[in-house]
Amino acid sequence: MRVSRLFLQRVFQATAGHRGLLLLLLVVAASRFGFLPRGPWEQDEALLAAGVVDFDPLDHMPHPPGFPLWVLLGRVVWALGAPGPLEALQMASALLSLLGVAAMFFVARSLVGQSWALAAATLAAFLPGVWVHAARGFSETPAAAVFFVALALWLHRGPASFPLCLFFLTAAALIRPPLAPWFFLVGLLWAWQVRQNGKSLLAAALASLALLLVTLGPLVLEAGGWQYYWESLITHAWEHSFLLGTEEATLEQIGWVKGLGGPLPALVFSGVGLVGWLSLRQRLSSHSFWLASLAGLWLVYLLLLVHNRTYPRYWVLALQVAAVLVVQGLVWVLRRRVWVLATVGAGTLFFSTWTYPALRHMRDHPLPVVEAFLKASATPPCTVVFQDELFSFRNFLARTGAFPCASLRYSELKSPAFRLAGERLFLVEESYPSFLSSSVSRVSSFAVNEPRAVALSQGRFLQAAAVENPVIVYAGGSVLEHEQGHPFVWLYPQATVLLPALSAAGRLTMAVELPPGVGRATVRAWAGDVDLGVEEAAGERALVGWSVPLLPERAGHGQVVPLRLQADQFRKLAGDYRPLALKVFFVSLEFPPWSAKPYTVNPEPRELHRKAVRAARVFAPERLGEGEGAWCEPNCTWELPVSSGRVGLWLSAPRPGGAQVIVSLGTNQMLLQVPPEVTYAEVPTPPEVRFAQRVLLTLSTRPYQAPNDPRSLGVVVHRLAFYPGLPLAQSLPVEETTQ
């Protein structure tokens, strides 16, 4: 008991001068471990986590040169009990960020004095670009932390610490190899200052070489040997150099600006930091000042012109160094301690409150692309086709057991026969390939709705869709667009789309529009190698359809059906060089094994067309009472895509005594008394209708001649709906209003 008391007393005495730092570290720990993101929030995070499971730079897990020491640290934390490889990287980054804050405190103490060290470390810890990446799977925060340890040692002990400093510099480079050129320059500048001490140089070189071999050797062997590792490194270097300078370069998109919350905060921060650096000229020797300036310029050059300048995470180290300079600048400008501390406190409060919504969103929500993959794989077995650029997330999820489905990239679809399973098929995409809205497709869309999270991101993978039973535009089509809330895709004169698996003969109906200036066009279709014939599209809106016979080979194996389309007319609009032939809004697949999905539609021609509903002997919609509706002739028909289920009708008969209406849906018939006000009724689909097909709905009543209206009228249709496989009608709510 006495020993424990003495031990605690000594610990307290040893740390009494740094109680502020200890308190800061507790706050920083809560800010890091309390906001671990939910899954990978960027491509490189997924690749790094996949590399912790299976180190393979040739397959970009992670991308060359492989971040070897960071991968090993992730494996250590994973072995110590982290739930998974990504969580291991996140926890390791959070822990090392604490080390970085402590090291930054000692760096600031050497540069700006004991009085301001805590303020500088606090400001650096809560800059947006620093905080949001502190507990991520990236290597920037750990590399910066290890570098600050080396810098603190050098500033505190000078050249005598060179072997240990170079060891930590080598570790930082092995954690984040893209910054190795900068760490190399810093090591070279330090080595120049101990050039007379051969023993120190030799010890530093041997320690760094040993760390390099111990870290890289086992991983290179795991990756297949030095030849594969070197080939992957050279290939990636060439690809990277080819893309240099192609990123957006507007001021708002620079990672430095994004990492400080926008142009105005970045301008103020940069200006004060520059003042701080110039004022340090009085504290540093001329030799040290100019060498440090050289290192700073080299870092800025690398970040602006060699790395992707738009990524905020690339600037983590520079932002933390600048925080020390900002505090020095405030000291030089404001002079009075209370003003400096108040300004630093206000800045820290501004930056932390600005960043908090982004961190909360990342903690509570997965990245949309990850969410789309998880949605697609929720009920295996399934097959997922995904946009090529999303391979890193697929690799990560597959290697961590969260993605149990078969999958292939969109580019791997290319095959003369398209031997792809079409049952339980999903498409996961961010921007391509395009897909057509269809009667069997279910689209789940995901997007980041927190603007701060968007601002602090790399601007990628912030929206995605998981499409069940997609109609994929494989060739000859443009991007997915929207018109008044309705999605559409322009197809070119020759196009190929992939239909989900069809188990029997049926019919395909497409809701299309022709380009401006084209009044009529013929379209020929082929299903596989079977010629389906020619259909004519005429007028502003058209429904074109083909009967598709049973394709035994594809039906037997549940494979997708390639549908080739060839139109004889197209137009190129002003300023648009695409050969536009067919503007496709909807595809109705009327085949087994599919069921029509539920829909509700108003009797407006455009709405009907975009659900592949055809109406005959129906007048234009008009305002009637509190809502809109369309008068029918005494006998009107509606051709509806349905399957087993019920058709809902919102009807009214604004005529004396209402009207008795015979409602016929295929072979089903019912007599309905329709009052003058809106009423709701349901008709079951005929028993022989099990899978998706087109059924004729007929409404028959006695004619009515309204005053001052030459038309022969029947009843008013306000809305139509289809409900697949629902229970008895009385269990459904009756809607009395029209919209």
Side-chain angles (χ1 to χ4, degrees), residues 423 501-505 549-561 592:
E423 296 177 349
L502 311 174
S503 61
L550 174 66
L551 304 174
E553 184 179 354
R554 293 192 174 275
H557 294 88
Q559 295 176 346
V560 298
V561 175

Side-chain angles (χ1 to χ4, degrees), residues 296-308:
L297 289 174
W298 178 235
L299 178 62
V300 172
Y301 169 80
L302 290 174
L303 295 177
L304 279 177
L305 299 176
V306 177
H307 296 182
N308 191 319

Side-chain angles (χ1 to χ4, degrees), residues 493 522-526 531-535 546 564-568:
T522 59
V523 185
R524 181 178 290 276
W526 292 263
D531 188 347
L532 304 181
V534 175
E535 282 286 314
W546 296 269
R564 291 187 295 124
L565 300 170
Q566 181 175 309
D568 68 341

Side-chain angles (χ1 to χ4, degrees), residues 55-60 62-66 223 225-239:
F55 185 79
D56 187 2
L58 198 61
D59 199 24
H60 280 223
H63 65 69
W226 288 100
Q227 180 180 353
Y228 287 102
Y229 182 78
W230 180 252
E231 287 178 0
S232 66
L233 178 62
I234 295 300
T235 301
H236 182 74
W238 276 109
E239 291 175 354

Side-chain angles (χ1 to χ4, degrees), residues 487-613:
F488 70 88
V489 174
W490 276 109
L491 297 185
Y492 304 151
Q494 295 190 30
T496 300
V497 300
L498 303 181
L499 307 178
L502 311 174
S503 61
R507 186 167 178 80
L508 168 77
T509 304
M510 301 180 73
V512 304
E513 291 183 7
L514 299 177
V518 177
R520 188 180 302 273
T522 59
V523 185
R524 181 178 290 276
W526 292 263
D529 296 325
V530 179
D531 188 347
L532 304 181
V534 175
E535 282 286 314
E536 184 176 80
E540 183 182 0
R541 289 178 287 273
L543 295 179
V544 294
W546 296 269
S547 295
V548 181
L550 174 66
L551 304 174
E553 184 179 354
R554 293 192 174 275
H557 294 88
Q559 295 176 346
V560 298
V561 175
L563 178 74
R564 291 187 295 124
L565 300 170
Q566 181 175 309
D568 68 341
Q569 299 291 329
F570 70 92
R571 286 289 184 274
K572 290 184 178 180
L573 305 181
D576 190 339
Y577 297 100
R578 298 173 297 172
L580 308 179
L582 295 173
K583 189 178 186 180
V584 183
F585 282 93
F586 190 71
V587 178
S588 179
L589 293 174
E590 296 135 17
F591 300 84
W594 303 111
S595 298
K597 64 183 179 183
Y599 60 86
T600 302
V601 64
N602 297 322
E604 192 272 326
R606 189 181 299 272
E607 297 289 322
L608 296 174
H609 171 257
R610 291 170 186 181
K611 291 299 180 184
V613 175

Side-chain angles (χ1 to χ4, degrees), residues 172-497:
L174 288 170
I175 290 173
R176 179 149 186 79
L179 274 181
W182 190 74
F183 295 133
F184 177 79
L185 176 64
V186 173
L188 195 63
L189 294 176
W190 287 348
W192 179 256
Q193 297 185 57
V194 296
R195 61 188 181 279
Q196 304 297 334
N197 190 339
K199 187 180 294 186
S200 179
L201 288 172
L202 180 61
L206 290 176
S208 298
L209 181 61
L211 178 63
L212 178 68
L213 293 176
V214 169
T215 301
L216 198 54
L219 290 177
V220 169
L221 294 177
E222 179 183 333
W226 288 100
Q227 180 180 353
Y228 287 102
Y229 182 78
W230 180 252
E231 287 178 0
S232 66
L233 178 62
I234 295 300
T235 301
H236 182 74
W238 276 109
E239 291 175 354
H240 182 72
S241 63
F242 181 76
L243 295 173
L244 286 179
T246 61
E247 307 88 7
E248 262 188 275
T250 60
L251 178 64
E252 293 81 2
Q253 289 299 313
I254 298 295
W256 172 269
V257 176
K258 293 162 70 175
L260 289 169
L264 183 58
L267 179 64
V268 174
F269 190 87
S270 303
V272 177
L274 181 60
V275 170
W277 175 243
L278 294 176
S279 69
L280 275 180
R281 178 69 181 83
Q282 301 170 2
R283 299 176 62 96
L284 301 176
S285 67
S286 177
H287 178 75
S288 298
F289 178 81
W290 290 112
L291 287 181
S293 298
L294 174 64
L297 289 174
W298 178 235
L299 178 62
V300 172
Y301 169 80
L302 290 174
L303 295 177
L304 279 177
L305 299 176
V306 177
H307 296 182
N308 191 319
R309 69 194 75 149
T310 65
Y311 292 180
R313 63 183 174 92
Y314 283 10
W315 295 83
V316 165
L317 189 151
L319 287 169
Q320 291 177 277
V321 171
V324 178
L325 304 180
V326 167
V327 171
Q328 171 63 24
L330 291 174
V331 172
W332 192 84
V333 172
L334 300 178
R335 306 293 181 179
R336 297 187 60 179
R337 179 179 178 82
V338 64
W339 289 0
V340 173
L341 293 179
T343 304
V344 172
T348 303
L349 181 63
F350 166 77
F351 286 129
S352 58
T353 54
W354 191 93
T355 312
Y356 172 74
L359 287 161
R360 180 182 58 192
H361 184 87
M362 293 177 181
R363 178 194 63 189
D364 297 339
H365 301 87
L367 187 69
V369 167
V370 174
E371 204 166 1
F373 271 112
L374 295 176
K375 173 70 176 179
S377 61
T379 53
C382 58
T383 302
V384 177
V385 175
F386 61 92
Q387 180 178 329
D388 287 42
E389 288 80 358
L390 309 183
F391 77 95
S392 54
F393 301 102
R394 189 282 308 265
N395 285 358
F396 162 73
L397 293 170
R399 279 166 172 76
T400 55
F403 186 70
C405 295
S407 60
L408 71 163
R409 305 184 191 199
Y410 169 68
S411 60
E412 295 170 341
L413 279 175
K414 191 171 184 179
S415 166
F418 295 104
R419 302 300 185 190
L420 173 67
E423 296 177 349
R424 298 289 303 143
L425 177 66
F426 285 84
L427 171 67
V428 173
E429 58 89 42
E430 180 197 20
S431 57
Y432 78 87
S434 301
F435 58 91
L436 303 178
S437 179
S438 83
S439 61
V440 302
S441 302
R442 271 74 172 173
V443 182
S444 299
S445 298
F446 308 94
V448 176
N449 55 17
E450 171 49 61
R452 304 284 171 82
V454 174
L456 287 168
S457 73
Q458 295 179 196
R460 304 186 298 177
F461 315 118
L462 301 180
Q463 61 182 18
V467 188
E468 184 178 2
N469 309 322
V471 178
I472 300 174
V473 180
Y474 175 72
S478 188
V479 297
L480 186 68
E481 302 176 66
H482 288 81
E483 181 179 283
Q484 298 177 351
H486 294 278
F488 70 88
V489 174
W490 276 109
L491 297 185
Y492 304 151
Q494 295 190 30
T496 300
V497 300

Side-chain angles (χ1 to χ4, degrees), residues 632-712:
C632 295
E633 294 184 13
N635 289 283
C636 62
T637 59
W638 308 76
E639 191 179 271
L640 310 171
V642 299
S643 53
S644 178
R646 295 176 182 274
V647 172
L649 304 166
W650 286 262
L651 306 173
S652 68
R655 49 197 279 185
Q660 279 195 336
V661 181
I662 299 174
V663 181
S664 302
L665 184 63
T667 58
N668 280 358
Q669 217 176 62
M670 64 182 293
L671 183 63
L672 184 65
Q673 180 65 40
V674 179
E677 62 275 6
V678 178
T679 189
Y680 176 76
E682 285 185 349
V683 186
T685 56
E688 64 271 15
V689 175
R690 296 177 55 206
F691 302 108
Q693 65 182 76
R694 300 185 76 78
V695 175
L696 196 66
L697 170 69
T698 303
L699 303 178
S700 302
T701 187
R702 59 182 177 81
Y704 168 65
Q705 192 78 41
N708 302 318
D709 191 337
R711 298 175 298 176
S712 179

